Amino acid sequence: MMNMHIKIVIALALLISATGIKAQVFEPGEEPRTVRTEGFWQNWFVQMGLDMTLQNPYGYDFSKVFPNGKSFGLDVAVGKWFSHQVGYRGKFNWENKLPLLENDHANWLAPFYEPGVNREKGGYIAFYGDILMNMHNFFGTYRPERKWNLSFYPRIGVNYNFGVSKGSLLAGIGILNTYRLSDRWSLYGDVAYIMTGSGFVGGKEVEGTGTGSNSNGYLSIGIGAQVELGKTKEYKNVKDGHSVLTNGIWDNWFVQVGADMSLMNPYGCNFSEVIPKGMTFGLNAAMGKWFTPEFGLRIRGQWENGLIENRKVEWLPPADDPRQNYKEHGMAAISVDAMLNITNAISGYDPYKKWHTTGYVRAGIITQFVTGSGSPLMGVGLQETYRINDRLSLFGSAGYQVSTSEGLGYSTTGMEVAAGSNGYFDIDFGVVIDLGQNKFYRDAESKAQGAGSTVQGAHNWPRFAINTLASVGVAYGVKTALKAMIKEERPDHSDNKSFPSGHASMAFAAARSIDKEFRNESILIPIAGYAAATAIGVERVVNDRHHWYDVVAGAAVGVGAAELTWWLSDKFLGSGSNFAVGTSGNTVDVVYNF
């Protein structure tokens, strides 16, 4: 059966997916290049059709694809247009099995050169996730009367070949062309080229099939019908409370930067040993755009194991000397994330809302610099953001990602071909900066309120900043004094400044300050702070810079420093004191009342 990593991704993807009940209806907005669109539960569609695939194993002459690589099957898809520009489609394909659609001459379907066996055992199935981008509406003006619509899409997914009982990741690109017959019905034509693991097409290690790190491709050509779900609707009142105006193509962009920790989990390895054998640290950066309050896209880059070394890592290539991975600059991944703002999808758009939960589906490529390998990457995850003001937010996210065995490169994948996959958890935190103002509008008359609103918070930001800096400063002074007095040798024998851990003391001082300021608003914020501080402490132990009790002592120093600082702040700067700290405009004011 399909290995566990692919099963996890499918299960999580199904949790993020949903169905709807209304038809696809858009209307030109009052502002230039804006279009009125309904909420999350509208504008869904279903597609059903037939397709033909042309398999192309690595190293084989494509002119011989008839009949060696030809197969026929059935497609079923459910999708939603979030705006006139972008949408998402989940698609299921069952190939080379259904009556009247079999091909007994498919020599290039696994098991290789055993025609008929693949069909007899059930053919193969595939699950696709497509990010649809309407090219007419991206580069032209939206016209509801347009009948022809051309969309481009990147694709990520998984397939499973019953002929050899193997599954594999896949990645591809394609074009969808639809012709509208009525308000409800359309015809479609679909063409895509897909790359997948060699075990899926080649099946066995036969010379010339492209097994190993190489991959095989196939062309998919489909035709069918599309039906809109629900009844069409006319907008009679722009203040209906459901519809919003989408923004222009240059509005609602953002950048995102942060740090991350990854927990590698090669196929067949015990996850309980992931710390320290599969733990790495790195940086990530992304740029994206929200097309509607519910749906957005971002391009993300991640650089792992290139700045902070884990000296005990064992589950990264090369298997005989994993530390070479760090010396050769680690690994990198580039991906595209389709983001669904679950908060807005469920409870509706509110420009004053601070907390947002977002689910994402990820498709990309991962490479190990030490081996020069490149493999498809897919994943799912959740991101939580907290808006500080109209431009700046904090974020924390956790996701599970899967790559083929070459993607992580660990030798004990349990698979002989590229169909084997490895997975890893990715935990990030950082900041999100909006480029420009928010430009989603409830209706034409209230757009100024949505665009220019600033989230007002009850926090005393100057006081929080001063107390946090003071807490970290006190922790630094205490740990320095204790190191000088105790003089304990480090585990790596580099010096005698092991006790207590300075990194842990300052990290927990900051985490305790965050706890004191934000606990009453949401428990998730202090949890994230303590988790980050704990990760720093674990990293110090893993790299032989401290004993575990050094980190525990450092944490106690940090928490104690924060408690002392905040107590003094309350005593001398609280409501009953003569001192007051406040802000006006862009300045921080310290006042003493005589």
Side-chain angles (χ1 to χ4, degrees), residues 76-311:
V76 179
V78 177
K80 169 181 168 57
W81 286 101
F82 290 87
S83 78
H84 60 300
Q85 296 171 332
V86 295
Y88 186 82
R89 176 179 68 175
K91 187 174 183 179
F92 170 75
N93 170 231
W94 189 9
E95 202 80 7
N96 202 41
K97 176 57 181 177
L98 300 180
L100 304 179
L101 298 178
E102 64 269 13
N103 175 19
D104 289 330
H105 303 286
N107 294 315
W108 291 350
L109 271 176
F112 198 74
Y113 273 122
E114 296 183 29
V117 174
N118 181 276
R119 178 182 60 80
E120 292 171 3
K121 292 187 176 182
Y124 68 88
I125 58 175
F127 295 90
Y128 305 130
D130 301 335
I131 300 173
L132 304 174
M133 292 175 280
N134 188 302
M135 295 292 99
H136 295 283
N137 296 333
F138 256 111
F139 301 107
T141 302
Y142 171 74
R143 298 200 310 271
E145 70 274 11
R146 181 184 291 121
K147 292 187 175 182
W148 287 102
N149 281 277
L150 177 68
S151 299
F152 170 80
Y153 59 85
R155 166 173 289 177
I156 195 74
V158 294
N159 51 37
Y160 185 76
N161 191 325
F162 293 104
V164 287
S165 299
K166 283 188 172 68
S168 180
L169 295 180
L170 59 87
I173 56 175
I175 294 174
L176 171 67
N177 207 349
T178 60
Y179 178 78
R180 182 172 292 277
L181 299 175
S182 67
D183 290 340
R184 182 183 293 269
W185 289 94
S186 301
L187 299 177
Y188 77 85
D190 207 347
V191 179
Y193 188 75
I194 302 165
M195 300 298 295
T196 186
S198 52
F200 175 74
V201 177
K204 297 181 178 179
E205 290 191 4
V206 179
E207 183 179 355
T209 65
T211 57
S213 62
N214 294 316
S215 60
N216 293 312
Y218 62 96
L219 189 69
S220 176
I221 304 170
I223 57 172
Q226 173 178 307
V227 60
E228 313 293 343
L229 297 179
K231 296 181 180 180
T232 59
K233 173 184 176 182
E234 295 181 358
Y235 293 99
K236 296 181 179 179
N237 180 6
V238 296
K239 297 181 180 180
D240 58 11
H242 298 290
S243 63
V244 296
L245 288 180
T246 62
N247 51 60
I249 191 64
W250 303 113
D251 300 326
N252 285 81
W253 288 82
F254 63 87
V255 294
Q256 179 176 314
V257 293
D260 63 63
M261 175 179 68
S262 294
L263 303 176
M264 308 294 169
N265 184 212
Y267 182 83
C269 294
N270 190 340
F271 187 76
S272 65
E273 299 178 351
V274 73
I275 300 176
K277 292 182 178 181
M279 183 170 58
T280 64
F281 302 91
L283 301 174
N284 63 80
M287 185 171 186
K289 169 180 167 61
W290 288 100
F291 291 89
T292 71
E294 299 92 6
F295 188 79
L297 296 175
R298 71 181 173 195
I299 298 177
R300 179 181 182 270
Q302 177 183 2
W303 183 25
E304 201 79 7
N305 203 39
L307 294 176
I308 303 175
E309 181 182 12
N310 174 10
R311 299 182 182 182

Side-chain angles (χ1 to χ4, degrees), residues 366 453 462:
I366 185 172
S453 63

